[in-house]
Amino acid sequence: MITQKMIFSSAKKLLMSVFLMVIFMNSHAQIFSVEKSPLDYQEINTNQAFENVEITGTVTVILINSQNRNITLQGNSKDLDVVRTTTKEGTLEINAEKKRTGSKLIVYLPTASMHSLRVTGNAQIFSSGHIKVDDLEIILNGNARVKVYCYGNLKVKPAEGYELN
């Protein structure tokens, strides 16, 4: 026959086992905790004016209303270290093809004097609110998503050999 004393003894052993398991799991989690890398910011001061921008790689582009020509990058510091920017003959080139992590890389891009944005690779293009553009053309190479709100003339078109869906 099962007595109250046997039930109490079994419950006590079960609770003690659960308690020890919880303590072990918490200590194990603290030893092997996964650190999330904080997001870093990098501001790129472009001394030369640019009307055209070419971006290569897996990026998220945020178009912003700004009169200055400074571009801000946001992402993992390992990725920011390998992003290359150059300006040639009015075209700003941002190359993010050699990203080292799977973290999101965001490019904040002022549109004040921009007339053309060519994106090659896996890209998402958004606007920070409604942006003001005089005449902006976005050309897509690869897998891209565009969601831009603007005042002015905006054209989105695929590069040669691509289609819009």
Side-chain angles (χ1 to χ4, degrees), residues 42-44 46 50 69-73 92 107-110:
Q42 178 180 344
E43 188 166 310
I44 299 168
T46 56
F50 59 88
R69 294 188 297 255
N70 296 343
I71 292 129
T72 303
L73 303 177
L92 170 67
V107 178
Y108 294 92
L109 194 58

Side-chain angles (χ1 to χ4, degrees), residues 101-157:
T101 71
S103 298
K104 189 180 226 181
L105 177 65
I106 302 173
V107 178
Y108 294 92
L109 194 58
T111 59
S113 61
M114 190 172 28
H115 293 292
S116 171
L117 171 61
R118 177 180 292 270
V119 181
T120 302
N122 239 357
Q124 297 181 10
I125 304 168
F126 301 106
S127 60
S128 176
H130 282 79
I131 57 169
K132 184 178 183 300
V133 296
D134 291 329
D135 192 23
L136 177 60
E137 181 176 64
I138 299 176
I139 304 161
L140 307 173
N141 288 307
N143 187 22
R145 177 179 173 210
V146 179
K147 190 172 184 179
V148 174
Y149 300 98
C150 71
Y151 301 109
N153 187 21
L154 173 68
K155 288 186 224 173
V156 177
K157 69 178 199 175

Side-chain angles (χ1 to χ4, degrees), residues 32-38:
F32 299 103
S33 65
V34 177
E35 291 183 28
K36 290 186 178 180
S37 59

Side-chain angles (χ1 to χ4, degrees), residues 29-110:
Q30 289 173 359
I31 293 171
F32 299 103
S33 65
V34 177
E35 291 183 28
K36 290 186 178 180
S37 59
L39 292 178
D40 286 333
Y41 293 88
Q42 178 180 344
E43 188 166 310
I44 299 168
N45 298 317
T46 56
N47 298 329
Q48 300 174 358
F50 59 88
E51 291 185 354
N52 307 309
V53 178
E54 294 182 5
I55 300 176
T56 307
T58 301
V59 297
T60 298
V61 179
I62 309 289
L63 302 175
I64 60 172
N65 284 317
S66 179
Q67 295 301 318
N68 69 30
R69 294 188 297 255
N70 296 343
I71 292 129
T72 303
L73 303 177
Q74 176 187 351
N76 185 302
S77 62
K78 291 178 183 177
D79 293 335
L80 296 179
D81 290 341
V82 295
V83 173
R84 298 291 170 240
T85 60
T86 56
T87 305
K88 296 187 236 178
E89 301 173 6
T91 300
L92 170 67
E93 296 175 1
I94 302 173
N95 187 331
E97 282 184 306
K98 297 183 180 180
K99 278 180 46 178
R100 295 180 179 165
T101 71
S103 298
K104 189 180 226 181
L105 177 65
I106 302 173
V107 178
Y108 294 92
L109 194 58

